[in-house]
Amino acid sequence: MTLIGDAKTPGTPAYASGEVLEIRGGRSLKGQVDVRGAKNLATKAMVASLLGETPSILRDVPDIRDVEVVRSLLEVHGVHVTEGDEPGALVLDPADAKSANFEEIDAHAGSSRIPILFCGPLLHLLGQAFIPDLGGCRIGDRPIDFHLDALRKFGAIVDKQPSGIRLSAPEGLHGAHIELPYPSVGATEQVLLTAVRAKGVTELRNAAIEPEIMDLIGVLQKMGAIISYEPNRVIFIEGVDELRGYDHRSLFDRNEAASWACAALATDGDIFVKGARQYEMLTFLNVYRKVGGDFDITDEGIRFRRGKAPLKAITVETDVHPGFMTDWQQPLIVALTQANGQSVVHETVYENRLGFTRALVQMGADIVVHEDGLEGEYRRVPRRALEQAAVINGPTPLHGADIVVPDLRGGFSYVVAALAAEGTSRVSGVGIIRRGYEKFFEKLTALGADFDVVG
Ligand code: EPZ
């Protein structure tokens, strides 16, 4: 059996995450999925609880691996995490917060990038922090230079060691003037979580402004922080001496909603995504309509399906918010293999997020990746040195294959491709998908997917 995957990551064990699905394709996904709190907000809000003098309650927390990793990291640092007064609610009590040793932290850091966001809160709380080397999806180098530069500007002493980063702040942390070279989501969160308790004012320029960032600002404001969101990606934070716990319901997971929407397109299905909201998905909905998707918006959620006409090829550039999110391009590309004509996807955020297309080509797709990107007449997004582009010619029938999941969103795309393909596929490394999609198997079953868990 030839295992096909993202050849750029040689040595990925065939069953990296120990779960293999056998999927019988050629079926449309129809039904309802409930999307709960955003993976990329809930994990950050959990870290923010370290900053409060009293317990916090976070609601609509998704039951996913990334949340488990952050929960165990908080517990290793003495935070008591218990179930709240409703399903999906967590109570986080930092009263006994303490330092943790390297072995404990490293054992729990798992494949997450979130540990880097513990720096500011731990420095405020304990005057020191140790952050192991980070994991996360292999979609690029994932550097943290913006984070470390910012922490130094706040007055932290940063000591990079072979196994991670040791930080200290013997004089405490003070406000800073920070301009990010790129509107990095993680670096913006790093500045927010550090500045709220620093002495003095912090001015952050070229900040990320994704809805998850704004929701984190909402969490911090509930805790007593003073954060003003100015025009042109400028954020001012006035440090305060004390913060209290919050009670917050996470905004919905836009990436999961977009993923199921693309699954409806690719399998000619009809999926009601309960909990999805129009405002945070405006750009996605425009692209969805241009490809030939159709949607109905209600107060409870959004119904996604293919329109009456065949799917149409389009050109898309990924970008920071309010542009088309980089996390949305992988599920969309599977749908574009079924569209009439030549589509182009410019991936301008990450330098290696198109490797997953190799397995789609093995399934019959016609996709060429331009490693150095492509010029384009109507480029909206400024050309970046690290960008890549995928050219997809369709429609091409897909046939089953044996494939290995390369990363979270690429993995979801593989499952959708297998569902849209004729014949049977074996998809291995599915545990990576379940890191970010709550109740993944249950949702596939509810939508009529025909599959077995075989490994
Ligand atoms: C967050 O990653 C999300 N992850 C990603 O979602 C998402 O794709 C990304 O933001 C962009 O929206 C989480 O929130 C856990 P960045 P993050 O810092 O914060 C470069 C998913 O599928 N950069 O905005 O790591 C970086 O290399 C995941 O849910 C530096 O150069 O993204 C990239 O090219 C995948 N130096 C660009 O900025 C730095 O210090 C954007 O990265 C930091 C980032």
Side-chain angles (χ1 to χ4, degrees):
M1 170 175 71
T2 312
L3 284 176
I4 303 145
D6 170 7
K8 266 202 174 173
T9 49
T12 306
Y15 299 100
S17 298
E19 282 175 327
V20 183
L21 296 188
E22 187 166 278
I23 299 173
R24 290 161 292 279
R27 295 170 72 116
S28 298
L29 294 184
K30 295 182 190 264
Q32 172 175 317
V33 292
D34 291 11
V35 163
R36 289 216 299 196
K39 166 179 86 75
N40 295 344
L41 178 273
T43 46
K44 295 37 169 326
M46 290 169 72
V47 176
S49 70
L50 273 170
L51 292 161
E53 300 296 323
T54 56
S56 294
I57 301 175
L58 183 59
R59 303 178 187 278
D60 270 0
V61 182
D63 176 15
I64 56 176
R65 175 102 184 87
D66 267 17
V67 166
E68 285 166 27
V69 167
V70 177
R71 176 174 184 159
S72 55
L73 278 173
L74 287 170
E75 287 169 336
V76 152
H77 285 91
V79 177
H80 301 290
V81 184
T82 52
E83 310 310 317
D85 55 4
E86 65 180 46
L90 288 181
V91 179
L92 307 115
D93 182 353
D96 300 328
K98 62 177 177 56
S99 293
N101 63 47
F102 164 70
E103 287 72 26
E104 289 174 303
I105 298 169
D106 201 40
H108 292 280
S111 60
S112 167
R113 298 188 57 71
I114 311 300
I116 189 71
L117 298 180
F118 277 69
C119 295
L122 290 178
L123 286 171
H124 284 308
L125 209 56
L126 310 168
Q128 60 170 354
F130 177 81
I131 309 299
D133 283 342
L134 299 178
C137 288
R138 285 189 299 277
I139 52 180
D141 292 340
R142 310 301 292 273
I144 54 170
D145 51 329
F146 301 166
H147 296 250
L148 303 183
D149 292 349
L151 287 163
R152 290 186 183 100
K153 287 186 178 147
F154 280 113
I157 298 165
V158 178
D159 175 16
K160 288 192 77 169
Q161 299 179 345
S163 51
I165 302 160
R166 187 163 297 286
L167 304 104
S168 59
E171 316 291 318
L173 298 173
H174 51 72
H177 289 267
I178 297 163
E179 174 145 9
L180 294 178
Y182 182 83
S184 151
V185 166
T188 300
E189 291 160 342
Q190 182 74 249
V191 172
L192 290 170
L193 290 167
T194 304
V196 287
R197 285 274 284 97
K199 292 202 177 349
V201 177
T202 293
E203 179 191 51
L204 172 59
R205 307 184 78 80
N206 204 25
I209 55 172
E210 274 69 6
E212 294 76 18
I213 297 279
M214 307 321 289
D215 212 37
L216 181 62
I217 288 175
V219 164
L220 294 169
Q221 188 179 54
K222 285 180 176 177
M223 297 179 80
I226 302 171
I227 304 176
S228 62
Y229 168 52
E230 307 284 326
N232 307 316
R233 293 184 181 271
V234 173
I235 298 177
F236 286 108
I237 305 109
E238 292 179 39
V240 295
D241 295 333
E242 193 174 295
L243 293 170
R244 58 183 178 273
Y246 60 79
D247 186 333
H248 188 76
R249 189 173 299 280
S250 165
L251 89 164
F252 76 100
D253 195 315
R254 303 182 296 143
N255 291 338
E256 180 173 4
S259 299
W260 292 114
C262 291
L265 266 193
T267 65
D268 195 7
D270 186 332
I271 300 177
F272 182 69
V273 180
K274 187 166 182 285
R277 289 204 307 251
Q278 177 181 16
Y279 173 71
E280 291 85 354
M281 298 191 76
L282 281 173
T283 302
F284 177 82
L285 294 170
N286 286 336
V287 170
Y288 200 79
R289 178 165 280 155
K290 286 201 285 189
V291 177
D294 203 356
F295 52 87
D296 303 317
I297 295 167
T298 69
D299 291 345
E300 289 69 41
I302 304 177
R303 179 187 169 208
F304 292 101
R305 62 195 181 285
R306 198 182 278 192
K308 293 182 179 39
L311 298 184
K312 297 185 289 284
I314 56 165
T315 292
V316 177
E317 299 167 273
T318 65
D319 196 2
V320 293
H321 187 74
F324 190 85
M325 296 293 290
T326 171
D327 303 334
W328 297 337
Q329 57 93 340
Q330 290 170 289
L332 178 70
I333 283 179
V334 179
L336 293 179
T337 66
Q338 304 309 305
N340 284 331
Q342 182 170 91
S343 298
V344 180
V345 174
H346 299 278
E347 170 51 68
T348 73
V349 178
Y350 286 106
E351 69 273 24
N352 181 22
R353 198 167 191 171
L354 292 170
F356 81 104
T357 57
R358 264 184 285 279
L360 301 182
V361 170
Q362 301 291 333
M363 296 176 79
D366 175 354
I367 304 174
V368 174
V369 172
H370 296 259
E371 308 276 348
D372 299 323
L374 275 179
E375 290 303 334
E377 298 165 69
Y378 307 108
R379 286 294 304 270
R380 276 183 47 259
V381 177
R383 196 85 160 70
R384 290 186 77 210
L386 52 68
E387 71 175 52
Q388 294 187 329
V391 177
I392 305 109
N393 287 299
T396 53
L398 299 179
H399 55 76
D402 294 346
I403 43 189
V404 179
V405 166
D407 57 67
L408 176 63
R409 309 299 172 185
F412 186 97
S413 309
Y414 283 5
V415 170
V416 172
L419 290 163
E422 283 307 317
T424 300
S425 299
R426 284 171 74 91
V427 184
S428 49
V430 171
I432 296 176
I433 305 173
R434 301 179 70 209
R435 213 192 86 206
Y437 290 90
E438 183 187 51
K439 298 186 174 61
F440 185 57
F441 293 166
E442 295 85 333
K443 289 173 178 170
L444 283 177
T445 304
L447 293 173
D450 180 10
F451 71 100
D452 294 312
V453 181
V454 297

